Amino acid sequence: MSKRLIVGLTGASGSVYALSLINTLALMDWQIELVMTPTGEKVLAYETGADRSALPQNVTIHENTNLFSSLASGSYRTSGMVVIPCSMNTLGLMATGTGDHLLARAAQVTLKERHPLVVVPREMPYNIIHLENMLRLARAGATIMPASPGFYHHPQQIQDLVNHVVGRVLDQFGIEHTLFERWSGV
C-alpha cells in the first residue's frame, strides 16, 4: 500500500479536522498531497491561524487550478482521498462529476480507480439536494462520514472530539492510530 494520501480541504468550517489529520499523517511518515479550495485556505488561516508555511514538510500542495497536477491522473499511485471538511458546494461538484478544479477532478479519479474516497461533510442542516448528492457519491463508492464525534471515550477537550473524527477517518484507510480509546463494551 502506498503511504500517500490525498487530502482535500474546502471552505466549510472545521479546518481543524484537516489540520489534525495532516499533522497525524505527517508524524506517521505519510506523504500528504494537499488540495485546498481558495476559501478552504482562507478558512484554515481564520480558524486555526495556520497557513502554508505552518504545514509539515511531507505535505505537497497542489494548486486547485492545476489540472496538469499528478493528482488528475489515475496512473498516480495513492492510498485514496479524503475531503475534510467538505462544503456542500464541493460535494455537489464531486457528485455531478464536474472536474474543472483539481479537488473535484482528484475525487473523480479516486472513484474511477476504485480507491477509497472519504467525504466528511461539515455543514448542517442538510437539504434534499445535499442528501441526494451524498447518496450519489455513496452509490459511486465514496464513504460519507459527517463530522460527528462520539462521546463514549469521555472527551475532556475539543482536541479529543477532533481526534475521534480524525481517527475514524484513518480507520477507513486501515491506518493504525491511538487517537482515541476504542469502545470495548461495558
Side-chain angles (χ1 to χ4, degrees):
M1 171 168 71
S2 167
K3 285 189 76 171
R4 181 180 296 131
L5 191 67
I6 303 168
V7 176
L9 194 162
T10 75
S13 180
S15 57
V16 66
Y17 292 115
L19 187 59
S20 184
L21 175 68
I22 289 166
N23 289 332
T24 299
L25 288 168
L27 288 173
M28 296 177 177
D29 292 323
W30 278 70
Q31 176 61 39
I32 298 101
E33 307 290 344
L34 179 62
V35 183
M36 296 182 281
T37 65
T39 305
E41 190 166 0
K42 289 176 184 173
V43 172
L44 176 68
Y46 180 78
E47 289 184 347
T48 70
D51 61 12
R52 290 171 178 238
S53 67
L55 298 173
Q57 288 186 347
N58 44 345
V59 174
T60 301
I61 298 174
H62 299 260
E63 296 303 325
N64 198 35
T65 55
N66 182 9
L67 291 177
F68 281 89
S69 165
S70 54
L71 305 184
S73 172
S75 67
Y76 188 66
R77 305 298 297 160
T78 71
S79 294
M81 179 175 183
V82 58
V83 183
I84 182 171
C86 186
S87 68
M88 293 302 114
N89 181 61
T90 300
L91 186 101
L93 292 174
M94 293 185 303
T96 59
T98 305
D100 54 350
H101 296 289
L102 183 58
L103 197 154
R105 172 66 185 154
Q108 288 176 26
V109 168
T110 300
L111 288 172
K112 83 175 183 68
E113 295 297 323
R114 306 264 190 241
H115 296 299
L117 173 62
V118 175
V119 178
V120 184
R122 224 301 303 142
E123 296 181 37
M124 65 172 185
Y126 302 138
N127 66 36
I128 192 71
I129 296 167
H130 302 150
L131 294 168
E132 287 175 349
N133 284 337
M134 286 183 221
L135 181 59
R136 179 179 247 174
L137 277 173
R139 285 183 173 147
T143 299
I144 310 299
M145 294 185 66
S148 303
F151 292 86
Y152 57 82
H153 61 290
H154 304 287
Q156 301 298 306
Q157 303 171 31
I158 290 175
Q159 189 61 47
D160 296 335
L161 298 171
V162 171
N163 286 348
H164 188 266
V165 171
V166 169
R168 297 292 288 146
V169 167
L170 293 173
D171 287 349
Q172 294 301 304
F173 295 96
I175 300 172
E176 292 297 320
H177 63 85
T178 57
L179 291 176
F180 62 86
E181 187 176 331
R182 296 188 182 277
W183 178 253
S184 59
V186 227

